[in-house]
Amino acid sequence: MLATSQQQLFSDSVQAEEPVPLGIAGFEFNSTRHVRIFNLHPTISDRHVSTFLNQKCNISFEALHFEQADGSSVSCRVLLDRRASSVDQLRRISQNLSFLSPTAQLGCPQADGVLFLGNLSDHMTPKRLATMGEQSGTVVRAFMMVNPTTRGSEGFGYIEFATKSVAVKGRAALASRVVDDRPIRVDLMKPIMNPYDIESFRSRTLFIDRLPRGFSDLPLLQTMFIQVGEVQYCNLVRKNGYCRGFAFVDMASGVDAVRARNLIDGAIVEKSPIRLSYGHPQKSAASIIHGKEEVERTKARIAVTRKQVPSSNLMRMPSPQIQQQQQQQ
């Protein structure tokens, strides 16, 4: 049976796959081939599920991952074969699920293996993203945010992996990459309960760089954005009181952020053409800036403390080799 909490997600998908929503250029964005079978009896193993899918449902799959739910039940995630219709495969699983376990339910797993990729070039495509991710493990989906009107890239996208552990591996592999002469930004997303809701992936945070060094006219910057939409937060990133050449803005909505980027990107500020790109959709500008400020304050406090302590009194830790020798003695 279909899980009650996920009934809307899968009931629509079983009837027909919906078109990709505006604002998305996606490699299988709406594909429901990543499913979760839960409330399974604890004695059921991956071999049982594999046999059930292959023989009872006549379904092949790309990956299967077991999860320990609690002492009384287990669950597993299944990534179905992309070569077959996910609509048809879901129907067959749902119709035969009771043969696997009377209590079994079919639902949509939360997306906890999603990577955010920023500073992407206009030449990036969803399939290129998928290829980049496949070097680390199984990719469920790869998609990019695009302008709903022009269909041009908004400069950021996502790779969803089958599990969080693979996503962590993917982040390590991609974090230092330069693609199309651009150093891409890579970050792990927090779990997303509804992975088919486009609003979960829109960003209302804008990163502004190429500001003049020492720029201090914050009211001017705020006014520029207020003229095109509702602004919730706007501030410069400073070090020792001076602007470091970039800033962050939180718009009230993703729509306002799109409008602001379209109208302000490339604007001249004190003879410098500024550049706008989207920030992480789950990290507000306020949290990013205050986090950076706290790091700087912590560094300053440590530096002051070290100056107050004579160097002869600073603790010098022995090397790991010396520590090992001391423990052996």
Side-chain angles (χ1 to χ4, degrees):
M1 60 181 295
L2 295 176
T4 303
S5 61
Q6 304 294 346
Q7 182 72 36
Q8 186 62 40
L9 281 177
F10 274 147
S11 62
D12 289 346
S13 301
V14 168
Q15 293 171 17
E17 289 189 8
E18 298 177 358
V20 175
L22 288 176
I24 289 282
F27 178 63
E28 301 181 325
F29 177 78
N30 274 347
S31 171
T32 50
R33 68 190 190 94
H34 196 203
V35 300
R36 180 171 180 256
I37 304 175
F38 59 105
N39 283 346
L40 295 169
H41 192 275
T43 58
I44 290 181
S45 66
D46 54 352
R47 181 177 59 83
H48 292 111
V49 177
S50 177
T51 301
F52 164 74
L53 293 173
N54 290 331
Q55 298 183 8
K56 189 67 180 178
C57 302
N58 194 26
I59 286 175
S60 58
F61 56 89
E62 294 183 20
L64 192 154
H65 304 277
F66 254 75
E67 305 169 327
Q68 188 69 39
D70 52 47
S72 60
S73 67
V74 295
S75 63
C76 70
R77 298 185 183 197
V78 181
L79 187 61
L80 302 173
D81 190 344
R82 65 162 48 97
R83 294 171 298 181
S85 165
S86 59
V87 173
D88 181 56
Q89 292 180 98
L90 283 173
R91 283 202 186 100
R92 278 182 274 167
I93 294 175
S94 180
Q95 291 169 355
N96 295 288
L97 199 56
S98 60
F99 289 96
L100 180 62
S101 175
T103 60
Q105 291 181 289
L106 181 64
C108 171
Q110 68 176 7
D112 57 4
V114 180
L115 289 184
F116 165 84
L117 295 95
N119 199 32
L120 301 177
S121 76
D122 293 339
H123 303 294
M124 181 58 66
T125 65
K127 288 194 175 182
R128 282 185 68 193
L129 280 181
T131 300
M132 289 164 53
E134 285 168 353
Q135 297 175 17
S136 299
T138 303
V139 171
V140 177
R141 300 180 298 172
F143 52 95
M144 296 173 59
M145 305 304 287
V146 298
N147 187 296
T149 304
T150 66
R151 300 297 291 173
S153 170
E154 295 285 16
F156 70 107
Y158 302 89
I159 302 175
E160 181 183 349
F161 293 92
T163 64
K164 181 179 179 180
S165 60
V166 179
V168 170
K169 180 181 176 183
R171 179 179 60 179
L174 297 171
S176 59
R177 290 277 295 273
V178 175
V179 181
D180 297 332
D181 297 323
R182 286 171 172 253
I184 60 175
R185 303 198 309 272
V186 184
D187 204 354
L188 182 66
M189 296 278 284
K190 296 177 182 177
I192 300 169
M193 295 304 296
N194 185 348
Y196 304 108
D197 179 13
I198 187 177
E199 295 304 321
S200 300
F201 302 98
R202 290 190 193 276
S203 177
R204 60 184 185 85
T205 299
L206 293 169
F207 171 69
I208 310 156
D209 68 339
R210 295 181 179 173
L211 285 168
R213 288 284 179 173
F215 176 79
S216 60
D217 196 349
L218 181 59
L220 169 64
L221 196 64
Q222 293 172 334
T223 301
M224 293 173 63
F225 285 89
I226 289 172
Q227 290 176 343
V228 299
E230 183 180 346
V231 177
Q232 294 188 334
Y233 182 88
C234 177
N235 210 342
L236 304 171
V237 177
R238 296 180 173 90
K239 184 174 184 179
N240 299 326
Y242 295 95
C243 176
R244 298 180 58 187
F246 52 96
F248 284 95
V249 176
D250 279 333
M251 303 301 290
S253 68
V255 174
D256 282 344
V258 170
R259 185 184 302 115
R261 184 173 184 266
N262 289 342
L263 295 176
I264 301 176
D265 185 42
I268 306 299
V269 175
E270 295 185 2
K271 300 182 180 180
S272 178
I274 62 174
R275 181 174 60 184
L276 271 64
S277 57
Y278 291 97
H280 193 299
Q282 296 176 334
K283 293 182 179 179
S284 68
S287 67
I288 293 171
I289 287 185
H290 291 308
K292 289 179 180 293
E293 291 176 348
E294 181 58 33
V295 169
E296 294 299 324
R297 284 193 292 267
T298 301
K299 288 181 179 179
R301 287 195 295 266
I302 293 174
V304 169
T305 302
R306 290 185 66 87
K307 289 180 180 180
Q308 293 173 345
V309 180
S311 58
S312 59
N313 294 339
L314 291 175
M315 181 180 295
R316 290 182 170 85
M317 294 297 293
S319 66
Q321 292 83 359
I322 296 177
Q323 287 181 355
Q324 186 177 5
Q325 293 174 3
Q326 291 174 347
Q327 292 174 355
Q328 292 174 350
Q329 292 174 358

